[in-house]
Amino acid sequence: MLKQYRAVIHASELLTGEGIRAKSGRHVVEADLGRISDGAIVYSVRMSDGIEVPDQVVWVGATGALPAEYRSIPTRDLEGKRAVIPGLIDCHTHLVFAGNRADEFALRCGGATYEEIALMGGGINSSVRATRAASIEELEALACERLREAWSFGVRALEIKSGYGLSLEAELKVLEVIPRLRKKFPQMTLTATFLGAHAFPPDQSREDYLQDIIERMLPEVARRGLADTCDVFIDAGYYTVEEGRKILTAAKALGLKTKVHADELANTESSTLAAELGCLSADHLLKISDAGIAALAKSETVAVCLPATAFYLKAPHAPARKLLDAGARVALSTDFNPGTSMTLNLPLVLTMGALYLGMSRAELLASVTYTAARALGLEARKGSLVAGMDADFTVLPFSTFEETYYRFGWAPPHD
Ligand SMILES: [Zn+2]
């Protein structure tokens, strides 16, 4: 069958992110945005489960320079009113869970701390109870609603972590939701991360659960191809650096990529461990030390900052500026989860990045496109609009990229 092409023309601005990619995301500046005024993009399409989805970028440039062979293909005219950017990538979410914790939020607003709520049976364990009790169909339906919302904010690729099962059976059930979602959303890329080491289950000893993760859960997840990455919550009150090292080393031996929830509640030097083990990313980093910053800066490990979580916990933000100036790559993500960041609004996270993390326009674009792709190991295919790469792009409801975070908390049009 002949290849089918589509075009989008007269974008008020089209940001390719080509320079960000050329610099592999370090020390990016305005010129790296690859801004094209009155831009156009030509891409191929493919059919997936009866839905036409963008396939590869074929050509990018000014509308006036559109090659003759693409002038009669089906075209969407943005009339100079809307900007086009690489599809947003949300590289850290806990999308699949049941229940909600609005009641805990009310308690917190009344003065209770996260730790006090956990002692009352709330926190992660409350989501674990609800998730274990839910059927796979119920989990899928909840996740579908959330994915539609993420899509409406311009998100085209999204990472999903397990971690609200905390038993072999329940963790597998959560991960099995993800292939079902891929079938329903062929226009999105969904990566799966096993986070059995999110907390300790209420009904098993620490030693038994650790042994279970390493000897039963990881091998089963890898054998069934249910996740490509393993993550560990290394923090005060959660997993120690040594426990994290054991789990991540076992995951690597099974061919999985690795990530760490690092230095969030306390400094444990888990960012340094992430750099040492060659993890894709170290995430949170509210309490990262100068040594941790230096370790990430000279490693390939992406520093993922989650300012919506710091905002929600009223905690001091991660030192993103110091990380960037030291040469680290910084991605931003929602950390969507029922306890500490119940939002899928990635543009709002950009507002926080601009205001509280001191990030520039170029750093902000990189943080949710190219650098976020790196945090998922997808940078060879995604995060920039360059011929040959995946045609993941977002048509913004605004004429410039910065309006997406200037207009904080905007609601996407439902069409
Ligand atoms: Zn998280």
Side-chain angles (χ1 to χ4, degrees):
M1 204 175 84
L2 270 178
K3 264 208 163 174
Q4 299 277 310
Y5 297 104
R6 303 284 180 267
V8 175
I9 60 170
H10 296 304
S12 46
E13 69 174 9
L14 188 150
L15 305 180
T16 65
E18 193 174 353
I20 295 168
R21 179 176 159 79
K23 285 182 170 177
S24 78
R26 296 194 205 266
H27 296 294
V28 301
V29 296
E30 186 71 14
D32 299 322
L33 286 171
R35 183 178 187 279
I36 300 168
S37 184
D38 191 12
I41 180 167
V42 178
Y43 58 98
S44 58
V45 293
R46 63 185 162 82
M47 294 304 287
S48 180
D49 289 312
I51 300 175
E52 182 185 291
V53 298
D55 192 17
Q56 282 193 317
V57 177
V58 173
W59 182 90
V60 183
T63 302
L66 190 70
E69 69 256 43
Y70 302 127
R71 288 197 191 144
S72 53
I73 61 176
T75 293
R76 180 175 176 192
D77 186 346
L78 301 179
E79 300 172 341
K81 292 177 185 153
R82 303 175 71 175
V84 173
I85 61 170
L88 300 182
I89 298 173
D90 199 345
C91 66
H92 180 140
T93 87
H94 304 252
L95 194 87
V96 181
F97 59 84
N100 90 41
R101 281 150 55 185
D103 52 342
E104 287 178 20
F105 183 58
L107 288 174
R108 252 192 343 108
C109 296
T113 65
Y114 195 61
E115 287 76 13
E116 285 164 353
I117 289 166
L119 285 174
M120 288 188 271
I124 289 179
N125 279 330
S126 127
S127 298
V128 169
R129 280 193 301 277
T131 304
R132 284 181 178 181
S135 70
I136 191 164
E137 290 76 19
E138 286 164 341
L139 290 172
E140 180 186 351
L142 287 165
C144 278
E145 264 176 54
R146 294 167 189 157
L147 272 185
R148 271 191 283 277
E149 187 181 334
W151 172 271
S152 72
F153 282 116
V155 172
R156 300 293 175 261
L158 183 138
E159 186 239 21
I160 301 174
K161 300 177 194 292
S162 67
Y164 291 112
L166 304 187
S167 70
L168 175 64
E169 187 195 4
E171 284 292 304
L172 293 177
K173 177 177 69 178
V174 168
L175 289 172
E176 278 166 358
V177 173
I178 301 169
R180 291 171 172 237
L181 297 174
R182 288 194 188 110
K183 269 193 99 60
K184 286 217 170 122
F185 293 82
Q187 68 279 38
M188 291 181 91
T189 299
L190 305 175
T191 67
T193 298
F194 169 66
L195 178 59
H198 192 193
F200 287 96
D203 49 0
Q204 220 181 337
S205 77
R206 187 179 187 107
E207 291 68 32
D208 279 0
Y209 188 61
L210 257 178
Q211 195 176 355
D212 247 15
I213 289 178
I214 292 172
E215 293 176 14
R216 293 176 65 215
M217 296 163 93
L218 270 173
E220 189 61 11
V221 166
R223 188 182 70 76
R224 292 170 57 175
L226 285 172
D228 54 48
T229 305
C230 172
D231 191 348
V232 180
F233 193 174
I234 301 178
D235 220 318
Y238 292 86
Y239 290 77
T240 66
V241 169
E242 275 324 300
E243 288 165 344
R245 183 192 294 276
K246 275 190 202 147
I247 295 167
L248 295 169
T249 305
K252 279 173 78 168
L254 290 164
L256 296 176
K257 296 175 276 187
T258 52
K259 284 176 172 286
V260 178
H261 275 66
D263 299 329
E264 180 187 5
L265 307 171
N267 174 258
T268 58
E269 296 301 336
S270 39
S271 303
T272 305
L273 177 74
E276 180 196 323
L277 294 179
C279 293
L280 284 176
S281 68
D283 303 34
H284 283 292
L285 315 178
L286 302 186
K287 302 283 171 64
I288 190 172
S289 66
D290 286 346
I293 291 174
L296 288 184
K298 51 173 202 284
S299 75
E300 295 301 310
T301 303
V302 171
V304 178
C305 295
L306 307 159
T309 310
F311 164 80
Y312 205 69
L313 292 172
K314 296 195 278 186
H317 285 277
R321 193 67 260 154
K322 272 175 104 170
L323 282 155
L324 287 161
D325 291 341
R329 305 176 174 103
V330 172
L332 296 183
S333 166
T334 59
D335 188 23
F336 175 73
N337 77 80
T340 60
S341 187
M342 193 65 175
T343 183
L344 286 158
N345 191 334
L346 196 52
L348 178 60
V349 171
L350 290 175
T351 306
M352 295 175 184
L355 288 174
Y356 301 126
L357 304 185
M359 294 170 72
S360 71
R361 186 166 105 119
E363 288 163 344
L364 289 169
L365 184 87
S367 77
V368 288
T369 57
Y370 174 82
T371 310
R374 267 198 97 96
L376 301 178
L378 298 175
E379 73 278 11
R381 295 196 286 127
K382 295 185 187 292
S384 328
L385 294 177
V386 175
M389 295 189 69
D390 288 358
D392 287 7
F393 61 88
T394 297
V395 177
L396 296 173
F398 309 111
S399 63
T400 62
F401 165 59
E402 57 269 32
E403 275 177 89
T404 57
Y405 54 97
Y406 158 67
R407 291 270 300 266
F408 66 97
W410 58 275
H414 291 278
D415 52 17

